[in-house]
Amino acid sequence: MTDVVPTICRLCIAHCGVLAEVEDDNGRRKVTKVTGDPDNPLFKGYTCPKGRALPELHNHPGRLLHSMRRQDDGSHAPIDSAQAVIEVAERIQAIVDQYGPRAVAFYVGTPNGGQPTSAGMANAFMRAIGSRMFFTSNTIDQPGKQISMALHGKWLGGEPDFEQADAWLLVGSNPIISKSAGIPGQNPAQRLKEAQARGMQLIVIDPRVSDCARKAAIHLQCRPGEDHAILAGMIHIILAENLYDRGFVEHNVNGFAELRDAVAGFTPEYVADRAGIPQAQLVAAARVFAGARVRHANSGTGASFSMYCNLKDYLVSCLNTVCGAYTRAGERVTRPNAMLPAYTPKAQAFPPFKAWGFGEKMRVRGLTDTAAGMPTAALAEEILLPGEGQVKALICIGGNPMAAWPDQRKTQRAMEALDLLVTLDVEMSTTARLAHYVIACKQTLETPGMSQSGEAIKYFGTGIGFPNAYAQYAPAVADVPHGSDLVEDWEFFFRMARHLGLDLVYATAFGFSRFQEAAYEVLPLSRRDNPTLETLYESICAHSRIPLQEVKRYPHGHIFDSDVTVQPRDPDCDARLDCGNEVMMAQLAEVFAQDYRREQDTAEFPFRYIPRRHNNFMNSTGRSIAKLNGNKPFNPVWMHPDDMRRVGVSDGDRVRIATAHDGIVARVESDDTLRQGVVAIAHAFGGLVDEDDERYEELGANTGRLVQADKDADPITGMPRMGNIPVAISPY
């Protein structure tokens, strides 16, 4: 007998509502098929290939069913999860006793974003032992979003509704594939089609004819790494032609004169030559954007991987601000809360706040905690640097540093140097193969789920999150496999705290209270408590605008009525957005002073490498699933056919991709959507350092090897240049 039940896909932050077909397997529920849910009011039957492969991920023969402990010979053997809790907890306590709490660090990866309790409980555990060494994937992805928000401030009325927009700008973003900022992630291709049918004009800045660029009214197919120059050029045109929103600027903006002076040299002629785009196209893009009644600009990961990622996002904010591209008093708020506490949006600025220079200090490169989090790209250096404060233990949850962190060789040396490496995972990832303990976890459909984190992602940056007061809750729809010993991520940390006699303080509502009217709640957890995921959800949602019990009444999800409108500015509010931050203006002057022609034309490294997402993989998740990889689990390097002829290679040939730092080997595939001189390869592939070339067809190539962690690194977040990298391509 097969039951069809509604549930939530939590592979990414989109949180698609799906239907799971569940069969009886000797007394346990087993998921055999996942499809889109046509009765879900927001997703309306949409899901992506990754979501449809959830049964294969749950039932994969390589899935971890028992926690593992590394043996003296480097192999791993099963260990009871209760024993693993005791051993890991006691080893952590011993390290804290000998070296201090700073010697224990924690890293949470992107796949964990769908489970709000995991990182929350881990954070509570880390604070209980006294460590503030809490790292996330954010500072090696898009830290510029939070850094620029801190430097620029935030408009409390929110961004405009995509469904009402006349123009929209995407910078290095392809949300049709990535579900990232810009087009709503609930069937983005259909949302874009509907928007264009009513006349919306899409502008895309991208060196590739991406899925979104293919549909754009204006596509600026630029040289990679010139996003900040193009944005400065658009602002220059808008200010020079008086196309900006004078009233909004006068009442809400500081630093306007400084911005005008800073972009003065970014004339259409200069920018067109520098970025390699038609001058008329640049001018048209600026005029279309500024002339639209409702418009907004968003950026993506691709642009963030180049240098000056904070500047790029800051200029996106400045472009929106000088055009007044925000929701005003009396208009409906774009992203009202449902499973988060109610708030009052207002037509006023939240002023700039401290972006870095606070909290925990790193011992390398003068780095500190930031508005985007601790600098993950420098963590390998912290582990390898001897002396007081050296990191001796690392706990990873939902992440795979060996696949995701820059500088593969240094990352592996760091993982191998640790006294204790613990990963919580569902498979023996590349990082897990180096770990002392691998804690086998439940898959998402084996746990209850809710959409609150998909809603809360709006605080990460503009253009993401649910566009309605949407909410969904789903109980567990599958049982763990027969004979398995699996834990929920959060449970492992709570059980360690209990063993060590620690009481925890768990922060609810994700701590996204900076722009709320009330501080977020905290949940004290005694070691004598016996919480469940359900009780944690109830605590997290205790102050939700829509009570959790009400959400549960709608198993297919529900869009709740919302007449929340943006309220007028407070009479005593004098807060303003800042478009002339001194640090950002200095960086823009540094960009203008560059000899860009010399840097663009290098005979030794004539190509530019850019990262690229794969529609069937979520970073390193899904690479081993035949349904997703099509029996091709490696990542090819895509090149323009004319570039391939120039190098002397054909489709399927092996090539060596070399930087001044290192090199990798990959198979080449032709792609005429790329700008000539640009090559692209997906990230989060590869194995260990000594096996990438030999096992390429099985594991792919690790693009992190092309990157040197402390080279061309951002001085605030420590994030190195991970895109727009000069490379040489040669037959292998």
Side-chain angles (χ1 to χ4, degrees):
M1 179 178 176
T2 300
D3 292 327
V4 179
V5 292
T7 186
I8 306 169
C9 175
R10 284 155 271 163
L11 274 179
C12 81
I13 207 65
H15 279 58
C16 296
V18 296
L19 295 177
E21 294 189 10
V22 182
E23 295 181 357
D24 179 79
D25 178 24
N26 294 319
R28 61 174 288 270
R29 296 171 298 170
K30 179 180 180 180
V31 175
T32 57
K33 186 177 181 179
V34 167
T35 58
D37 181 0
D39 294 323
N40 184 288
L42 185 61
F43 294 90
K44 301 178 181 178
Y46 171 78
T47 187
C48 76
K50 299 180 286 294
R52 295 191 291 273
L54 281 172
E56 286 75 15
L57 289 167
H58 279 63
N59 305 317
H60 190 259
R63 180 185 172 183
L64 273 175
L65 300 182
H66 300 272
S67 296
M68 309 291 282
R69 176 174 55 193
R70 197 170 81 190
Q71 308 300 296
D72 292 340
D73 63 358
S75 64
H76 287 81
I79 179 175
D80 181 79
S81 64
Q83 183 62 28
V85 166
I86 294 171
E87 292 185 14
V88 172
E90 292 182 353
R91 290 187 65 172
I92 288 174
Q93 186 62 63
I95 289 171
V96 171
D97 291 343
Q98 183 174 358
Y99 300 105
R102 191 189 189 279
V104 181
F106 174 84
Y107 171 73
V108 57
T110 303
N112 189 253
Q115 179 47 274
T117 58
S118 303
M121 195 65 76
N123 196 344
F125 176 80
M126 292 291 288
R127 289 182 175 273
I129 66 172
S131 175
R132 300 297 185 267
M133 297 291 280
F134 192 94
F135 297 79
T136 76
S137 56
N138 189 40
T139 49
I140 51 171
D141 186 358
Q142 299 187 62
K145 280 183 164 54
Q146 291 81 54
I147 299 297
S148 64
M149 186 187 301
L151 298 177
H152 173 265
K154 179 179 174 66
W155 183 249
L156 293 179
E159 75 266 22
D161 186 355
F162 181 84
E163 306 295 338
Q164 305 297 321
D166 304 301
W168 211 269
L169 171 65
L170 298 176
V171 184
S173 178
N174 188 23
I176 288 179
I177 298 299
S178 64
K179 318 300 182 292
S180 58
I183 305 169
Q186 303 77 35
N187 199 346
Q190 180 63 27
R191 294 295 184 100
L192 177 57
K193 181 179 179 180
E194 293 169 356
Q196 291 180 314
R198 68 168 188 269
M200 191 204 78
Q201 297 192 74
L202 179 67
I203 306 165
V204 173
I205 301 173
D206 201 309
R208 184 173 76 89
V209 186
S210 65
D211 305 75
C212 288
R214 190 174 294 113
K215 301 177 183 298
I218 301 175
H219 174 206
L220 301 174
Q221 191 173 9
C222 58
R223 292 189 177 98
E226 296 298 342
D227 312 280
H228 35 54
I230 295 173
L231 290 164
M234 290 182 66
I235 295 171
H236 171 98
I237 294 165
I238 290 167
L239 300 188
E241 298 185 4
N242 290 314
L243 301 176
Y244 66 97
D245 189 328
R246 185 181 298 273
F248 185 86
V249 168
E250 288 178 353
H251 289 94
N252 299 287
V253 178
N254 285 332
F256 180 75
E258 290 83 351
L259 177 65
R260 184 193 289 274
D261 291 344
V263 300
F266 289 85
T267 63
E269 298 82 5
Y270 170 84
V271 173
D273 179 69
R274 176 171 183 147
I277 55 176
Q279 180 178 327
Q281 202 177 38
L282 172 67
V283 174
R287 290 173 178 170
V288 166
F289 185 82
R293 181 182 59 88
V294 178
R295 69 285 208 201
H296 204 69
N298 296 115
S299 64
T301 303
S304 292
F305 276 3
S306 296
M307 292 180 65
Y308 302 103
C309 71
N310 300 321
L311 175 63
K312 178 265 301 180
D313 273 304
Y314 186 80
L315 290 173
V316 168
S317 296
C318 291
L319 176 63
N320 284 323
T321 292
V322 298
C323 292
Y326 302 113
T327 304
R328 309 298 180 87
E331 297 178 349
R332 187 181 69 86
V333 70
T334 303
R335 303 182 191 280
N337 286 355
M339 299 190 81
L340 290 173
Y343 75 105
T344 303
K346 297 178 180 179
Q348 64 188 52
F350 186 94
F353 49 95
K354 199 169 183 64
W356 70 90
F358 53 83
E360 186 68 48
K361 305 293 192 295
M362 303 285 279
R363 298 180 302 147
V364 298
R365 295 192 253 154
L367 297 168
T368 69
D369 201 353
T370 74
M374 291 287 286
T376 296
L379 182 49
E381 296 168 65
E382 283 282 342
I383 294 169
L384 293 170
L385 180 65
E388 184 178 353
Q390 183 178 10
V391 173
K392 297 289 187 176
L394 175 65
I395 310 171
C396 299
I397 181 171
N400 189 2
M402 281 303 305
W405 289 8
D407 206 330
Q408 181 200 27
R409 295 183 191 275
K410 181 177 287 185
T411 298
Q412 184 165 329
R413 291 199 306 272
M415 298 299 109
E416 293 171 337
L418 289 162
D419 289 356
L420 177 65
L421 173 60
V422 181
T423 67
L424 284 75
D425 215 324
V426 296
E427 64 180 5
M428 288 297 290
S429 67
T430 315
T431 304
R433 291 166 56 196
L434 299 174
H436 298 94
Y437 293 87
V438 185
I439 308 304
C441 298
K442 294 181 180 180
Q443 284 275 15
T444 55
L445 298 185
E446 295 160 357
T447 67
M450 65 172 180
S451 59
Q452 194 195 57
S453 53
E455 178 182 336
I457 193 67
K458 67 183 179 182
Y459 293 110
F460 175 77
T462 62
I464 44 181
F466 302 135
N468 317 89
Y470 168 82
Q472 185 177 11
Y473 166 87
V477 300
D479 296 318
V480 298
H482 287 297
S484 61
D485 176 19
L486 305 174
V487 300
E488 294 174 3
D489 301 3
W490 69 268
E491 182 185 11
F492 182 76
F493 293 95
F494 182 80
R495 287 164 63 182
M496 284 202 300
R498 173 181 285 169
H499 179 73
L500 296 177
L502 301 174
D503 293 327
L504 302 180
V505 178
Y506 181 97
T508 66
F510 299 84
F512 289 115
S513 63
R514 186 184 297 276
F515 311 116
Q516 300 283 10
E517 293 182 340
Y520 61 89
E521 299 289 325
V522 295
L523 173 66
L525 289 172
S526 168
R527 55 187 177 277
R528 292 175 291 276
D529 291 336
N530 190 27
T532 65
L533 190 53
E534 285 284 354
T535 59
L536 289 174
Y537 281 173
E538 290 169 5
S539 297
I540 290 172
C541 297
H543 301 281
S544 297
R545 190 175 77 86
I546 308 298
L548 181 58
Q549 290 303 316
E550 178 68 10
V551 174
K552 289 182 177 181
R553 291 182 54 222
Y554 302 94
H556 294 272
H558 190 68
I559 298 174
F560 292 89
D561 292 336
S562 176
D563 57 357
V564 179
T565 57
V566 178
Q567 298 302 300
R569 181 192 191 106
D570 290 337
D572 59 347
C573 176
D574 59 0
R576 287 174 169 258
L577 304 172
D578 185 5
C579 286
N581 177 266
E582 184 178 357
V583 175
M584 294 294 98
M585 296 301 98
Q587 284 195 0
L588 189 56
E590 184 179 308
V591 168
F592 185 72
Q594 291 172 338
D595 185 351
Y596 63 88
R597 289 191 181 91
R598 182 177 62 83
E599 293 186 9
Q600 288 171 354
D601 301 322
T602 57
E604 187 178 3
F605 300 104
F607 297 99
R608 292 294 174 117
Y609 152 72
I610 61 171
R612 179 167 167 179
R613 288 192 183 273
H614 197 299
N615 190 37
N616 286 17
F617 306 133
M618 175 60 180
N619 296 332
S620 60
T621 300
R623 287 176 5 198
S624 59
I625 305 298
K627 180 177 180 178
L628 293 175
N629 65 38
N631 295 316
K632 191 173 70 173
F634 56 87
N635 49 341
V637 55
W638 289 281
M639 296 182 68
H640 192 281
D642 291 345
D643 289 333
M644 290 173 60
R645 285 189 285 271
R646 182 159 56 125
V647 173
V649 294
S650 303
D651 277 303
D653 288 351
R654 278 196 171 203
V655 296
R656 178 167 178 79
I657 309 166
T659 67
H661 171 60
D662 210 328
I664 57 176
V665 173
R667 292 203 180 277
V668 67
E669 288 189 11
S670 60
D671 183 358
D672 61 4
T673 69
L674 285 163
R675 180 188 173 100
Q676 288 190 43
V678 176
V679 301
I681 183 169
H683 62 280
F685 281 75
L688 300 176
V689 168
D690 60 356
E691 62 188 11
D692 271 8
D693 293 354
E694 295 178 2
R695 300 178 63 186
Y696 169 75
E697 272 73 16
E698 176 189 356
L699 301 172
N702 189 319
T703 58
R705 192 187 295 184
L706 301 174
V707 179
Q708 192 170 351
D710 56 354
K711 178 72 172 177
D712 293 334
D714 182 80
I716 298 170
T717 65
M719 177 181 173
R721 181 180 188 172
M722 296 170 66
N724 183 33
I725 298 174
V727 297
I729 308 287
S730 58
Y732 181 74

Coordinates of all heavy atoms in Angstrom, one line a residue, residues 162 166-170 173-177 183 187-206 208-221 281 288 673:
F162 N 8.3 41.8 -6.5 CA 8.7 41.4 -7.9 C 7.5 41.3 -8.8 O 7.6 41.6 -10.0 CB 9.4 40.0 -7.8 CG 9.9 39.5 -9.1 CD1 11.1 40.0 -9.7 CD2 9.1 38.6 -9.9 CE1 11.5 39.5 -10.9 CE2 9.5 38.1 -11.1 CZ 10.8 38.6 -11.6
D166 N 8.5 46.8 -12.8 CA 8.6 47.2 -14.2 C 10.0 46.9 -14.8 O 10.2 46.7 -16.0 CB 8.3 48.7 -14.4 CG 7.0 49.1 -13.9 OD1 5.9 48.5 -14.3 OD2 6.9 49.9 -12.9
A167 N 11.0 46.8 -13.8 CA 12.4 46.5 -14.2 C 13.0 45.8 -13.0 O 12.7 46.1 -11.9 CB 13.1 47.7 -14.6
W168 N 14.0 44.9 -13.4 CA 14.7 44.2 -12.3 C 16.1 43.9 -12.8 O 16.3 43.6 -14.0 CB 14.0 42.9 -11.9 CG 14.2 42.5 -10.5 CD1 15.2 41.7 -10.0 CD2 13.4 42.8 -9.4 NE1 15.0 41.6 -8.6 CE2 13.9 42.3 -8.2 CE3 12.2 43.6 -9.3 CZ2 13.3 42.4 -7.0 CZ3 11.6 43.8 -8.0 CH2 12.2 43.2 -6.9
L169 N 17.1 44.1 -11.9 CA 18.5 43.9 -12.3 C 19.1 42.7 -11.5 O 19.0 42.7 -10.2 CB 19.3 45.2 -12.0 CG 20.8 45.1 -12.1 CD1 21.2 44.8 -13.5 CD2 21.5 46.4 -11.6
L170 N 19.7 41.8 -12.2 CA 20.4 40.7 -11.5 C 21.9 40.8 -11.8 O 22.3 40.9 -13.0 CB 19.9 39.3 -12.1 CG 18.4 39.0 -11.8 CD1 18.1 37.7 -12.5 CD2 18.1 39.0 -10.3
S173 N 23.9 36.6 -10.9 CA 22.9 35.7 -10.2 C 22.1 35.0 -11.3 O 21.7 35.6 -12.3 CB 22.0 36.6 -9.3 OG 21.0 35.8 -8.7
N174 N 21.8 33.8 -11.1 CA 21.0 33.0 -12.0 C 19.9 32.2 -11.2 O 20.0 31.0 -11.1 CB 21.9 32.0 -12.8 CG 21.1 31.3 -13.9 OD1 20.1 31.7 -14.4 ND2 21.7 30.1 -14.3
P175 N 18.9 32.9 -10.6 CA 18.0 32.3 -9.7 C 17.1 31.2 -10.3 O 16.5 30.4 -9.6 CB 17.1 33.5 -9.2 CG 17.4 34.6 -10.2 CD 18.7 34.4 -10.7
I176 N 17.0 31.1 -11.7 CA 16.3 30.0 -12.3 C 16.9 28.7 -11.8 O 16.2 27.7 -11.6 CB 16.3 30.2 -13.8 CG1 15.3 31.3 -14.2 CG2 15.8 28.9 -14.5 CD1 15.2 31.5 -15.7
I177 N 18.2 28.7 -11.7 CA 18.9 27.5 -11.3 C 19.2 27.5 -9.8 O 19.0 26.5 -9.1 CB 20.2 27.3 -12.0 CG1 20.0 27.2 -13.5 CG2 21.0 26.1 -11.5 CD1 19.1 26.0 -13.9
I183 N 14.5 36.8 -8.5 CA 13.3 36.2 -8.9 C 12.8 35.3 -7.8 O 13.6 34.5 -7.2 CB 13.4 35.4 -10.2 CG1 14.0 36.3 -11.3 CG2 12.1 34.8 -10.6 CD1 14.4 35.5 -12.5
N187 N 9.3 28.3 -8.2 CA 9.2 28.2 -9.7 C 9.6 29.5 -10.3 O 8.9 30.2 -11.0 CB 7.7 27.9 -10.1 CG 7.7 27.3 -11.5 OD1 8.6 27.4 -12.3 ND2 6.5 26.7 -11.8
P188 N 10.9 29.8 -10.2 CA 11.4 31.1 -10.7 C 11.3 31.3 -12.2 O 11.0 32.4 -12.7 CB 12.9 31.1 -10.3 CG 13.2 29.7 -10.0 CD 12.0 29.0 -9.5
A189 N 11.4 30.2 -13.0 CA 11.3 30.4 -14.4 C 9.8 30.8 -14.8 O 9.6 31.7 -15.7 CB 11.6 29.1 -15.1
Q190 N 8.9 30.2 -14.1 CA 7.5 30.6 -14.4 C 7.2 32.0 -13.9 O 6.5 32.8 -14.6 CB 6.5 29.6 -13.7 CG 5.0 29.9 -13.9 CD 4.6 29.8 -15.4 OE1 5.2 29.1 -16.2 NE2 3.6 30.6 -15.7
R191 N 7.8 32.4 -12.7 CA 7.6 33.7 -12.2 C 8.1 34.8 -13.2 O 7.6 35.8 -13.4 CB 8.3 33.9 -10.8 CG 7.6 33.0 -9.7 CD 6.2 33.5 -9.4 NE 5.6 32.7 -8.3 CZ 5.6 33.2 -7.1 NH1 6.0 34.4 -6.8 NH2 5.0 32.4 -6.1
L192 N 9.3 34.5 -13.7 CA 9.9 35.4 -14.7 C 9.1 35.5 -15.9 O 8.9 36.6 -16.5 CB 11.3 35.0 -15.0 CG 12.1 35.8 -16.1 CD1 12.2 37.3 -15.6 CD2 13.5 35.2 -16.3
K193 N 8.6 34.4 -16.4 CA 7.8 34.4 -17.6 C 6.5 35.2 -17.4 O 6.1 36.0 -18.3 CB 7.4 32.9 -18.0 CG 6.5 32.8 -19.2 CD 6.2 31.3 -19.5 CE 5.3 31.2 -20.8 NZ 5.0 29.8 -21.0
E194 N 5.9 35.1 -16.3 CA 4.7 35.9 -16.0 C 5.0 37.4 -15.9 O 4.2 38.2 -16.4 CB 4.0 35.4 -14.7 CG 3.5 34.0 -14.8 CD 3.1 33.4 -13.5 OE1 3.3 34.1 -12.4 OE2 2.5 32.3 -13.4
A195 N 6.1 37.7 -15.3 CA 6.5 39.1 -15.1 C 6.8 39.7 -16.5 O 6.4 40.9 -16.7 CB 7.8 39.2 -14.2
Q196 N 7.5 39.0 -17.3 CA 7.8 39.6 -18.6 C 6.5 39.7 -19.5 O 6.4 40.6 -20.4 CB 8.8 38.7 -19.3 CG 10.2 38.8 -18.6 CD 11.3 38.0 -19.3 OE1 11.1 36.8 -19.6 NE2 12.5 38.6 -19.5
A197 N 5.6 38.8 -19.3 CA 4.3 38.9 -20.0 C 3.6 40.2 -19.7 O 2.8 40.7 -20.6 CB 3.4 37.7 -19.7
R198 N 3.7 40.7 -18.5 CA 3.1 41.9 -18.2 C 3.9 43.2 -18.5 O 3.6 44.3 -18.2 CB 2.6 41.9 -16.7 CG 3.8 42.0 -15.7 CD 3.3 42.2 -14.3 NE 4.5 42.5 -13.4 CZ 5.1 41.5 -12.8 NH1 4.7 40.3 -12.8 NH2 6.2 41.8 -12.1
G199 N 5.2 42.9 -19.0 CA 6.0 44.0 -19.5 C 7.2 44.3 -18.7 O 7.9 45.3 -19.0
M200 N 7.5 43.5 -17.7 CA 8.7 43.8 -16.9 C 10.0 43.6 -17.7 O 10.0 42.6 -18.5 CB 8.8 42.9 -15.7 CG 9.9 43.3 -14.7 SD 10.5 41.9 -13.6 CE 11.5 41.0 -14.8
Q201 N 11.0 44.4 -17.6 CA 12.2 44.3 -18.3 C 13.3 43.8 -17.4 O 13.6 44.4 -16.4 CB 12.6 45.7 -18.9 CG 11.6 46.2 -20.0 CD 12.1 47.3 -20.8 OE1 13.0 47.2 -21.6 NE2 11.6 48.5 -20.4
L202 N 13.9 42.7 -17.7 CA 15.0 42.1 -16.9 C 16.4 42.6 -17.5 O 16.6 42.5 -18.7 CB 14.9 40.6 -17.0 CG 16.0 39.8 -16.2 CD1 15.8 40.1 -14.7 CD2 15.9 38.3 -16.5
I203 N 17.2 43.0 -16.6 CA 18.6 43.4 -16.9 C 19.5 42.4 -16.2 O 19.4 42.2 -15.0 CB 18.9 44.8 -16.5 CG1 17.9 45.8 -17.1 CG2 20.3 45.2 -16.9 CD1 17.9 47.2 -16.4
V204 N 20.5 41.8 -16.9 CA 21.4 40.9 -16.3 C 22.8 41.3 -16.6 O 23.2 41.6 -17.7 CB 21.1 39.4 -16.8 CG1 22.2 38.5 -16.3 CG2 19.7 39.0 -16.4
I205 N 23.6 41.2 -15.5 CA 25.1 41.4 -15.7 C 25.7 40.1 -15.4 O 25.7 39.5 -14.3 CB 25.6 42.5 -14.7 CG1 24.9 43.8 -14.9 CG2 27.1 42.6 -14.8 CD1 25.3 44.9 -13.8
D206 N 26.3 39.5 -16.5 CA 26.9 38.1 -16.3 C 27.8 37.8 -17.5 O 27.4 38.1 -18.7 CB 25.8 37.1 -16.3 CG 26.2 35.8 -15.7 OD1 27.2 35.2 -16.1 OD2 25.5 35.3 -14.8
R208 N 28.3 35.1 -18.8 CA 27.7 33.9 -19.5 C 26.3 34.2 -19.8 O 25.6 34.9 -19.1 CB 27.8 32.7 -18.6 CG 27.4 31.4 -19.2 CD 27.7 30.2 -18.3 NE 26.7 30.1 -17.1 CZ 25.6 29.5 -17.2 NH1 25.2 28.8 -18.3 NH2 24.8 29.4 -16.1
V209 N 25.8 33.6 -20.9 CA 24.4 33.7 -21.3 C 23.7 32.6 -20.4 O 23.4 31.5 -20.9 CB 24.2 33.4 -22.8 CG1 22.7 33.7 -23.1 CG2 25.1 34.3 -23.6
S210 N 23.5 33.0 -19.2 CA 22.9 32.1 -18.2 C 21.4 31.9 -18.6 O 20.8 32.5 -19.5 CB 23.0 32.6 -16.8 OG 22.3 33.8 -16.7
D211 N 20.7 31.1 -17.8 CA 19.3 30.8 -18.0 C 18.5 32.1 -17.9 O 17.6 32.4 -18.7 CB 18.8 29.8 -17.0 CG 19.5 28.5 -17.0 OD1 20.7 28.5 -16.5 OD2 19.0 27.5 -17.5
C212 N 18.9 33.0 -16.9 CA 18.2 34.3 -16.8 C 18.6 35.3 -17.9 O 17.8 36.0 -18.4 CB 18.5 34.9 -15.4 SG 17.7 34.0 -14.1
A213 N 19.9 35.3 -18.2 CA 20.4 36.2 -19.2 C 19.8 35.9 -20.6 O 19.6 36.8 -21.3 CB 22.0 36.1 -19.3
R214 N 19.5 34.6 -20.8 CA 18.9 34.3 -22.1 C 17.5 34.9 -22.2 O 17.0 35.2 -23.3 CB 18.8 32.8 -22.2 CG 18.4 32.2 -23.5 CD 18.4 30.7 -23.6 NE 19.8 30.2 -23.4 CZ 20.2 29.5 -22.4 NH1 19.4 29.3 -21.4 NH2 21.5 29.1 -22.3
K215 N 16.9 35.3 -21.1 CA 15.5 35.8 -21.1 C 15.5 37.3 -20.9 O 14.5 38.0 -20.8 CB 14.7 35.1 -20.1 CG 14.5 33.6 -20.3 CD 13.7 33.0 -19.2 CE 13.7 31.5 -19.3 NZ 13.0 31.0 -20.6
A216 N 16.7 37.9 -20.8 CA 16.8 39.3 -20.4 C 16.5 40.3 -21.6 O 16.9 40.0 -22.7 CB 18.2 39.6 -19.8
A217 N 16.0 41.4 -21.2 CA 15.8 42.5 -22.2 C 17.2 43.1 -22.5 O 17.4 43.5 -23.7 CB 14.8 43.5 -21.7
I218 N 18.0 43.2 -21.5 CA 19.4 43.7 -21.7 C 20.3 42.8 -20.9 O 20.2 42.6 -19.7 CB 19.5 45.2 -21.1 CG1 18.5 46.1 -21.8 CG2 20.9 45.7 -21.3 CD1 18.5 47.5 -21.2
H219 N 21.3 42.2 -21.7 CA 22.3 41.4 -21.0 C 23.6 42.0 -21.3 O 24.1 42.1 -22.4 CB 22.3 40.0 -21.7 CG 23.4 39.1 -21.1 ND1 23.9 38.1 -21.9 CD2 24.1 39.1 -20.0 CE1 24.9 37.5 -21.2 NE2 25.0 38.1 -20.0
L220 N 24.3 42.5 -20.2 CA 25.6 43.0 -20.2 C 26.6 41.9 -20.0 O 26.9 41.5 -18.9 CB 25.8 44.1 -19.1 CG 24.8 45.3 -19.2 CD1 24.9 46.2 -18.0 CD2 25.0 46.1 -20.5
Q221 N 27.0 41.3 -21.1 CA 27.9 40.1 -21.1 C 29.3 40.6 -20.9 O 30.1 40.7 -21.9 CB 27.7 39.2 -22.3 CG 28.5 37.9 -22.1 CD 28.2 36.9 -23.3 OE1 27.5 37.3 -24.3 NE2 28.6 35.7 -23.1
Q281 N 24.6 49.9 -24.6 CA 23.8 49.0 -23.8 C 23.9 49.3 -22.3 O 22.9 49.2 -21.6 CB 24.4 47.6 -24.0 CG 23.5 46.4 -23.7 CD 24.2 45.1 -24.0 OE1 25.4 44.9 -23.8 NE2 23.4 44.1 -24.5
V288 N 16.7 52.3 -18.3 CA 15.6 51.4 -18.1 C 15.4 51.2 -16.6 O 14.2 51.3 -16.1 CB 15.8 50.1 -18.8 CG1 14.8 49.1 -18.3 CG2 15.7 50.3 -20.3
T673 N 27.6 29.7 -24.6 CA 27.0 30.7 -23.8 C 28.0 31.5 -23.1 O 27.7 32.6 -22.5 CB 26.0 30.1 -22.8 OG1 26.7 29.4 -21.8 CG2 25.0 29.2 -23.4

